[in-house]
Amino acid sequence: MNGADVLRSVEEMRPRVEPFLETGEQFQVWVGGSWGRPRAVRMAIDHFWPFLSEQATVVLVATDRRWLVLRSKREQYAGRLTEVASFPRDIRVHSSWTAQFTGFGDVPLSIDPVYELWAVAANDALDAAEEGRPWSLEAAAPALTDAEDDPVIRRLEPMVMPVLEKVGRLIPPRPRFLRR
């Protein structure tokens, strides 16, 4: 992943987000999230109980004025979006494998580490606004690069992989219709 991926996804999401913007408001970036368990917990549960799915996905939309929280009833943000809430733009977002984000009201969100660069872009736009300098995703995108070595994965892999390999031998494969 890199800044070009973030830029491409923002342009793909733009037509779906624009109906929720106020006159003159500028869409900066979106961050994918969900109401539910953090990514690492979902992965572990999904391995053993494949019938769980992410029922409510959340699109956090950073504009130049505010955060919009939009909801999609379908996974992969493919469903019709509805506005759930609006918050001040001064909230910083972060993703986590194991923790939930509590910056938007009382309901904790899980921001998948896949959207780390999107969160970095949103925070960079906030920094620019606080410093009074202009910001655009097109200008910021080349500087957005993935960390080559995720420290969480590096720490978890020696502990988790041997257990999953042993347990995996005991669990029959999923029926074809349940595979994702």
Side-chain angles (χ1 to χ4, degrees):
M1 295 276 183
N2 58 36
D5 297 314
V6 176
L7 185 58
R8 179 188 43 76
S9 76
V10 166
E11 291 309 314
E12 288 172 0
M13 186 66 79
R14 186 175 302 282
R16 299 184 64 208
V17 168
E18 283 181 342
F20 299 98
L21 301 179
E22 295 173 350
T23 305
E25 191 172 26
Q26 296 175 4
F27 172 37
Q28 293 176 327
V29 67
W30 69 281
V31 181
S34 66
W35 284 304
R37 298 169 185 89
R39 178 70 171 171
V41 175
R42 284 195 325 259
M43 287 171 56
I45 291 172
D46 190 45
H47 184 76
F48 298 106
W49 189 252
F51 305 105
L52 293 179
S53 66
E54 203 174 304
Q55 293 300 319
T57 52
V58 179
V59 178
L60 303 172
V61 177
T63 73
D64 59 333
R65 300 179 191 166
R66 61 190 172 137
W67 277 102
L68 281 170
V69 180
L70 306 178
R71 179 176 182 224
S72 171
K73 290 188 178 182
R74 294 185 55 203
E75 291 183 31
Q76 304 297 319
Y77 312 102
R80 189 175 64 91
L81 298 175
T82 56
E83 185 173 342
V84 176
S86 176
F87 292 93
R89 182 59 179 96
D90 63 349
I91 299 170
R92 295 189 180 283
V93 293
H94 61 86
S95 65
S96 174
W97 284 95
T98 58
Q100 291 180 307
F101 178 76
T102 57
F104 294 102
D106 297 336
V107 180
L109 297 169
S110 295
I111 299 176
D112 195 315
V114 168
Y115 293 102
E116 177 64 24
L117 293 181
W118 285 253
V120 168
N123 292 336
D124 186 51
L126 179 58
D127 290 340
E130 288 175 348
E131 295 168 8
R133 61 182 166 85
W135 186 89
S136 74
L137 183 57
E138 293 80 12
L144 297 174
T145 57
D146 225 0
E148 292 180 19
D149 190 18
D150 188 335
V152 173
I153 296 297
R154 194 168 15 93
R155 281 191 223 128
L156 288 177
E157 189 174 26
M159 295 180 289
V160 173
M161 291 312 290
V163 172
L164 288 178
E165 287 171 6
K166 288 178 185 175
V167 172
R169 287 185 228 136
L170 302 173
I171 299 173
R174 292 182 187 178
R176 175 177 235 139
F177 67 91
L178 290 178
R179 294 182 191 154
R180 290 184 188 170

